[in-house]
Amino acid sequence: MPGIARANACEHMQLRGRVVKGILGFGRKIIVDAYCTKAQRKVAEPHIGCGECHGDSQIARLFNE
């Protein structure tokens, strides 16, 4: 999850991680679910975000001017 937090530091995104066992119980992997509290929906790609919150940032306003 630190990689997601570095790629997308949106204050409205909540991350939830869970560990899932692999086939026949061997190996494990982490599944990360993201939810945007502002857009009130699940985020399909946590590294990118929901797409609605980025336009509100001060950096985005600088590029739009």
Side-chain angles (χ1 to χ4, degrees):
M1 286 200 271
I4 294 172
R6 280 191 301 269
N8 183 357
C10 179
E11 62 188 45
H12 302 287
M13 189 166 61
Q14 295 178 342
L15 299 173
R16 178 179 293 160
R18 56 191 163 105
V19 178
V20 178
K21 290 183 181 180
I23 299 173
L24 300 175
F26 295 105
R28 294 181 222 157
K29 65 179 182 176
I30 297 175
I31 305 288
V32 178
D33 296 320
Y35 183 81
C36 179
T37 58
K38 183 176 180 184
Q40 297 293 313
R41 64 180 173 151
K42 185 176 177 181
V43 177
E45 181 55 50
H47 284 89
I48 297 172
C50 69
E52 292 184 26
C53 298
H54 300 293
D56 295 341
S57 71
Q58 292 178 354
I59 294 173
R61 285 189 210 125
L62 289 174
F63 287 108
N64 291 332
E65 292 179 351

